[in-house]
Amino acid sequence: QVQLVESGGGSVQAGGSLRLSCAASGYTYSRNCMGWFRQAPGKEREGVAAIYDGTGIIIMVDSANGRFTISQDIGKNMLFLQINSLKPEDTAMYYCAAKAGGCSWSGADFAFWGQGTQVTVSS
């Protein structure tokens, strides 16, 4: 079985930074995709960023505008999302997800999900 556990969220002021972490268990990187999604109250789930360990190719939401960095530590089965210059519109529950094969923007393609970590950005 696969288990994903996120951490690193919190409440910060606009302009601050957070580093979200996702610890994976029962999962080995091997031509798989791990990524981050977020969902704000009343809004649809949105893909944020993902990385394919087969090639290192990264996909990133257009609105990130250079503020987000996704990375992974394959040996430790860890996934990270660095968010700089946080904006109030970044406020959401952030989820780690994983799937076999290449990355996708569709959450429905991801078989495994964490419980989420809340990011709240105040003005």
Side-chain angles (χ1 to χ4, degrees):
Q1 88 287 0
V2 175
Q3 184 173 2
L4 307 174
V5 180
E6 303 95 333
S7 62
S11 298
V12 299
Q13 291 183 287
S17 298
L18 286 172
R19 189 190 192 212
L20 310 184
S21 299
C22 173
S25 62
Y27 180 88
T28 301
Y29 294 101
S30 181
R31 296 185 178 275
N32 298 310
C33 177
M34 294 188 69
W36 294 93
F37 292 78
R38 66 184 181 183
Q39 187 167 24
K43 300 183 68 176
E44 294 185 347
R45 182 175 55 195
E46 175 188 30
V48 177
I51 183 166
Y52 178 52
D53 60 29
T55 61
I57 292 176
I58 294 170
I59 60 173
M60 184 73 64
V61 64
D62 289 343
S63 61
N65 196 29
R67 299 184 299 113
F68 295 177
T69 302
I70 188 170
S71 61
Q72 64 184 179
D73 186 329
I74 295 176
K76 297 180 180 179
N77 282 357
M78 295 287 293
L79 181 74
F80 306 97
L81 182 68
Q82 178 73 33
I83 314 176
N84 297 324
S85 301
L86 279 157
K87 303 176 179 180
E89 51 263 46
D90 295 321
T91 296
M93 183 73 74
Y94 284 71
Y95 297 93
C96 176
K99 67 182 292 294
C103 290
S104 169
W105 286 117
S106 174
D109 293 335
F110 287 75
F112 307 103
W113 292 82
Q115 83 290 346
T117 184
Q118 179 68 41
V119 172
T120 302
V121 185
S122 60
S123 301

